[in-house]
Amino acid sequence: MSDHVHVRLSRGLSVSAEGQLIEHSHCRCGATFTKVFDSDGGEPEGPAPS
């Protein structure tokens, strides 16, 4: 018997009221995943120098 490996398929991104970036994904088996990226309160990044 083989083991199941979750393949995370993106469902999109959202931003919480607190400013956190939230990544939503799922597997074909029905499992869902949510990853939260905290903002550090720093300044936004500017464009890269050309």
Side-chain angles (χ1 to χ4, degrees):
M1 189 167 112
S2 64
D3 292 330
H4 174 74
V5 176
H6 290 295
V7 176
R8 294 182 185 216
L9 304 170
S10 179
R11 282 198 169 164
L13 300 170
S14 62
V15 178
S16 71
E18 295 82 26
Q20 299 167 316
L21 179 64
I22 304 171
E23 179 182 28
H24 306 275
S25 58
H26 71 283
C27 180
R28 289 186 180 109
C29 74
T32 59
F33 309 93
T34 303
K35 187 170 184 179
V36 178
F37 299 90
D38 290 324
S39 62
D40 61 4
E43 294 296 317
E45 294 180 12
S50 52

